[in-house]
Amino acid sequence: MTQRLPPSLTPLDTALAALLRDVEPIASVALPLTEAVGCIAADAPLLAAYPPHDIAGTDGWALRANDLVGASAYSPSPLATAPAWVEAGDAMPAGCDCVLDADAVEMSGPLAQALAEGVPGQGVRRAGSDIAVRTPAGADGYPVGPAALMLAGVAAVDRLKVRRPRLRIVNVPGATATAHMIAEIARAAGLDVKAFEAAARDDASIADMLDASSCDLLLIVGGSGVGRRDAAVTALARRGDMIAHGIALQPGRTAAIGRLGKVPVVGLPGSPDHALAVWFALALPLVDRLSARRPRRQVTLPLARKIASSVGIAEIALLAGEHHAWMPLAVGEWPFQAIAGADAWLIIPASHEGFAAGAPVDAYLMRE
């Protein structure tokens, strides 16, 4: 059976609202630090103060600053007792509040004399100076990054609670390169990705792979067009509920959305540019809802030149940052080299004819 697009495409806003309906954030899980990176933080633990006590910040002699007043190479100051040598990270001896360099103390048998003054805190890391007590290990609703991992590791926290949606990708033969691209983008976004390939392009083979029992979101890559060998939409209708086929989105108008039980399904076109546009416009909002992510950061810059768009269909523009402005690289149809060179993307609503040169626009970064 040949798939056909309806005479009128479903508006992007309508399709997205239908796709997000009844979708709730998933439960958080505790993951080892190496697995938590990129996932969305949830219930970040409050850390203890670090260092827990004063420690040496450098190798040298631990002393009390008040005992060194007036000391210099020309007027050495005898020390009542031999100073303690400390290595960076050692606990500061009781009564000591500074660390002098090795050549700032002269030892002659049991006698010691200081050749320089010191100030309280010199060469010392104070208790709580690196991590204040009750500092959260990460920000809830935002991706776990290197800084959060560093804080947790230093504070001896070996696991972090995160939301990590489970994504199942079904590759329709012929769209392998696109499926691999989407899988890598999804992993970078913190998803737990499992990828499968249908045995053939017919609806029965594709339907056999549409299993939503162990995922929170399912993507079908390829086979959503109207060609004689495109059967993804028929397969989805056979196994679940078809919500819409044909979205007023360019690139990506042959996309489809539906459900398998309560699990949302997005059918991505097999072409990399169309698939990426559908990922931005439909899949990412789902990922953000499932992971309870806070709004993604947008960067506002003026357009280096105008963008023209057709009323009635949402279009996505690829942008490059040049001289403190957004330079449009492609609108509606994307050459692959434009994808490779893009720094950001911008959805132009279906009600707009575009934006004038110099108009400030809020764009999402390709790589956060």
Side-chain angles (χ1 to χ4, degrees):
M1 180 186 298
T2 300
Q3 297 175 167
R4 298 186 182 278
L5 290 178
S8 60
L9 302 175
T10 301
L12 176 61
D13 290 347
T14 302
L16 184 57
L19 197 57
L20 292 174
R21 189 174 299 121
D22 300 326
V23 174
E24 299 292 339
I26 61 174
S28 60
V29 295
L31 294 180
L33 299 187
T34 54
E35 295 182 31
V37 64
C39 300
I40 304 303
D43 304 319
L46 301 179
L47 304 177
Y50 185 87
H53 44 70
D54 290 356
I55 63 173
T58 184
D59 305 336
W61 300 105
L63 293 157
R64 190 172 67 146
N66 282 347
D67 295 337
L68 307 174
V69 176
S72 71
Y74 301 102
S75 178
S77 177
L79 299 173
T81 59
W85 177 263
V86 292
E87 306 279 346
D90 289 347
M92 289 293 292
C96 296
D97 60 6
C98 66
V99 176
L100 295 191
D101 293 339
D103 58 3
V105 173
E106 185 178 80
M107 302 290 294
S108 179
L111 302 178
Q113 53 185 0
L115 308 180
E117 291 185 308
V119 295
Q122 176 181 334
V124 176
R125 299 186 87 123
R126 297 292 195 185
S129 62
D130 286 322
I131 303 176
V133 65
R134 296 184 64 79
T135 295
D140 286 357
Y142 291 101
V144 174
L149 294 185
M150 182 270 293
L151 289 176
V154 166
V157 173
D158 60 359
R159 288 176 173 266
L160 289 176
K161 295 189 74 174
V162 298
R163 288 188 173 88
R164 188 186 190 190
R166 300 165 302 166
L167 170 63
R168 182 183 179 97
I169 295 178
V170 175
N171 171 35
V172 176
T176 301
T178 301
H180 285 172
M181 176 190 72
I182 295 298
E184 291 309 312
I185 291 173
R187 290 189 179 98
L191 278 70
D192 180 7
V193 180
K194 297 291 188 296
F196 303 86
E197 182 167 335
R201 293 182 62 91
D202 61 272
D203 60 345
S205 298
I206 299 171
D208 285 343
M209 303 305 297
L210 301 185
D211 179 4
S213 61
S214 59
C215 68
D216 304 300
L217 170 61
L218 191 147
L219 300 181
I220 308 171
V221 181
S224 69
V226 294
R228 294 179 179 178
R229 300 179 64 239
D230 290 323
V233 173
T234 306
L236 176 56
R238 178 174 176 172
R239 287 294 303 271
D241 298 319
M242 172 60 60
I243 297 175
H245 178 212
I247 310 298
L249 173 69
Q250 191 64 20
R253 72 188 185 96
T254 63
I257 60 172
R259 275 197 172 80
L260 291 177
K262 293 184 178 180
V263 174
V265 179
V266 181
L268 282 64
S271 176
D273 54 337
H274 288 249
L276 186 57
V278 176
W279 168 265
F280 288 149
L282 292 172
L284 263 190
L286 270 173
V287 171
D288 291 353
R289 175 71 63 85
L290 289 166
S291 56
R293 182 186 170 124
R294 295 188 182 275
R296 292 176 177 269
R297 186 167 74 94
Q298 293 175 285
V299 176
T300 304
L301 291 174
L303 283 173
R305 55 182 173 83
K306 73 174 184 179
I307 293 178
S309 179
S310 301
V311 174
I313 187 166
E315 296 191 76
I316 301 185
L318 296 181
L319 310 172
E322 294 185 8
H323 308 296
H324 305 291
W326 288 129
M327 173 62 71
L329 298 180
V331 181
E333 294 292 342
W334 300 349
F336 293 164
Q337 65 182 22
I339 297 175
D343 297 314
W345 56 277
L346 168 72
I347 291 186
I348 305 166
S351 59
H352 283 49
E353 294 182 346
F355 299 98
V361 295
D362 304 324
Y364 293 101
L365 298 179
M366 297 284 281
R367 293 163 291 276
E368 290 188 295

